[in-house]
Every structure is written in C-alpha cells, then in structure tokens.
Amino acid sequence: QVQLVESGGGLVQAGGSLRLSCAASGRISSYVMGWFRQAPGKEREFVTALDWSGGRTLYADSVKGRFTASRDNRKNTVFLQMNTLKPEDTAVYYCAASSGLATTPSYYAHWGLGTQVTVSS
C-alpha cells in the first residue's frame, strides 16, 4: 500500500510558476506516477503521467509545453513543475500511482489528498 502526500500548492499570479511535490511512503520506481486536477463542479482532469520503466511521459494538451513532470526514485518523490500558469489552471492537484500508463483516474489505485493551486488573473 503506497501512500502519497502532495505539497507545494499555493496562490500565484498568472504567468507565475509553482513546483508541486508528491512524496511516497514506498518505492515508486515500478509505478506510473500521474498528476490529475479537479476544479469545483468539474470532473477530474488528466494532467500528466510519467512511466519510468517504459521511458514514456504523457501530457494533456492544455499543459503541454508549460508543465514538466519528473521524479526522484531515490527519494521516492515525483514533481510537477508548472510554468506560465493561467487562471484556468486553478484546481486541486492530485498525485496518483498506477501499475500502467493511463490517462483515466480509474486506472490509478493510489491517490494523495491533493494540494490547492490558485492562479489569479
């Protein structure tokens, strides 16, 4: 049972940057680590997924070129660098772990509690 804890959220002006972290209680090298986000009244939205074993990374079109996912297997931590933030990026951001590369929440068995990101215009 992998436990995930997100951190790094906050309030930032449009055009600014934030770096989110997701600390895992166990080894993450064998998992696909994903980031999702959810705004009030909206469905969970795929952001990115990093498959270390397969050497593949997926990004949603809405964040491609602005967000970068990375991981530190030694520290069992995954990161989400968010640049050129827009008001529409405002949401609770969730870290998740899956056994395979996927973009739908149902494929991720382990979730953190989320961290709030608010981008002001």
Side-chain angles (χ1 to χ4, degrees):
Q1 296 83 2
V2 176
Q3 295 181 343
L4 306 172
V5 180
E6 303 94 337
S7 63
L11 176 64
V12 64
Q13 294 185 44
S17 299
L18 285 174
R19 190 192 192 205
L20 306 183
S21 298
C22 173
S25 62
R27 193 174 180 179
I28 65 171
S29 59
S30 61
Y31 290 92
V32 171
M33 301 301 297
W35 287 94
F36 293 78
R37 65 188 184 185
Q38 186 167 21
K42 297 185 178 180
E43 297 180 350
R44 281 176 294 176
E45 177 186 16
F46 170 76
V47 177
T48 185
L50 198 160
D51 180 1
W52 179 251
S53 297
R56 296 169 293 176
T57 304
L58 300 178
Y59 293 96
D61 289 340
S62 59
V63 307
K64 191 174 183 179
R66 299 188 298 120
F67 291 11
T68 303
S70 62
R71 62 197 295 167
D72 186 334
N73 290 333
R74 182 178 61 84
K75 295 183 177 181
N76 290 318
T77 303
V78 64
F79 305 95
L80 182 64
Q81 179 66 47
M82 306 185 295
N83 298 325
T84 319
L85 283 162
K86 304 174 181 179
E88 50 263 46
D89 295 320
T90 296
V92 176
Y93 283 71
Y94 297 93
C95 176
S98 173
S99 60
L101 188 62
T103 61
T104 57
S106 62
Y107 282 85
Y108 289 77
H110 309 284
W111 293 82
L113 295 178
T115 184
Q116 177 70 48
V117 172
T118 303
V119 184
S120 62
S121 60

